[in-house]
Amino acid sequence: MNEIEKLAAAAKKASVVLSASGTMLRNKAVAAIADEIEKNSAEIIAANELDIAAARENGISESLIDRLSLSEKRIYAIAEAVRDVCRLEDPIGKLDGGGVRPNGLQIRKVRVPLGVVGMIYEARPNVTADAAVLCLKSGNACVLRGGKEAIRSNIAIAKTMRAAISSVGLPEDCITLVEDTSRQTATDMMKANGLIDVLIPRGGAGLIRSVVQNATVPVIETGTGNCHIYVDATADIDMAVRIAVNAKCSRPSVCNAAESFLIHKDAAEAFLKAVKSPLDRYQVEIRGCSRTREILGDEIRKATEEDYATEFLDYKVSVLIVDSIEEAMEHIAEYGTKHSECIVTESYKNAMLFTERVDAAAVYVNASTRFTDGGEFGLGAEIGISTQKLHARGPMGLEHLTTVKYIVTGEGQTR
């Protein structure tokens, strides 16, 4: 039995106890986690500082270091997000349908935990807390494998959470962290059939593709975010600039940040001249088509096909001037990752056309793509943003970590 099988077997055993626990005990455990995270903030930050120092030594970009970094403010935000989950309605036992059949059988369709949720993710240590408490609240044990960049932070957070749940009487193996970040442990998780019930990858395109293509365990695919802002011919230019700058610059290292601006030719000159200065303040590198360069000058780098297909996760943006909304939608269909797409327009007809035709987990009219988030959608913390179409799509909260069971009650009926 390899290390992953040992950890997953322990989690499986703990999941039996957890699934039978009531809402009150699970809420007590989640609340204890929030308190302990705050209480141990100094220890967590000290571990995080070691991760940041190692990341800088390894030449990791500042935008990715921002994803990795924890401050006291961020620690308290994590604790508050945990408390938000505590306040959410418990999905376990929720009646999803049913009725009485003509033969008298009573059928109830109820929500139950998935069992053991495995998660392979990259450099954001807050994901460790988010994933664990969402699994805990929904009655699932979890096996978490973060990236090597955040391993010290993840160990400190997991240690804190395990102590918290143990203090209220639940098995500490309800939350398990894989401390070996080698490629082999990821591979072993992908093959842990019968021990891990579902696997969720969260990170870059390479990680997600590897899990989807190689796992024999069922996978919920969370997607990369090559998100677009389409500025329509009728767009309010001031609004378009605010949305574009927020979507690109407020936190470029996250999956709901905009990576490409598509601009109708009739709005191109006004929008590009208005957005250039705000983008310059953030030192955003613009990679544009030939018409973009005619407006902004040759200092703008010429965009390649690869640029239009890239999730930069950095202060870079690709720009394309289009002749019609149809061309914009065709571009999104070719290069988008079905995450979040936005149209800025004053045309009701074009807004409806865009929302009907664009295939993405979240489609926005006159609002930043940065809102694609479990907290912003009222789900509390999220375990990921699914870009697939089966089981879950978009930000995944508590209910997405459940499945259904049919409970059938009879009086001796036979068939």
Side-chain angles (χ1 to χ4, degrees), residues 37-78:
I37 285 174
E38 286 185 344
K39 192 182 298 182
N40 291 281
S41 62
E43 180 182 338
I44 295 169
I45 289 170
N48 183 248
E49 287 172 350
L50 295 175
D51 284 332
I52 293 169
R56 288 207 163 98
E57 284 179 14
N58 292 323
I60 291 178
S61 70
E62 286 300 318
S63 63
L64 291 179
I65 286 174
D66 175 64
R67 299 182 80 179
L68 171 62
S69 299
L70 292 176
S71 60
E72 191 165 316
K73 182 179 179 181
R74 285 187 179 181
I75 292 285
Y76 281 92
I78 289 171

Side-chain angles (χ1 to χ4, degrees), residues 213-227:
Q213 292 177 352
N214 296 301
T216 54
V217 169
V219 174
I220 298 176
E221 181 178 356
T222 64
T224 52
N226 190 12
C227 307

Side-chain angles (χ1 to χ4, degrees), residues 5 9 29 76 87 102 116 120 132 225 241 245 248 252 352 354 362 393:
E5 288 171 338
Y76 281 92
R87 289 187 277 265
V116 176
I120 302 174
V241 169
V245 172
K248 176 69 260 178
M352 292 302 98
F354 192 86
R393 197 176 196 198

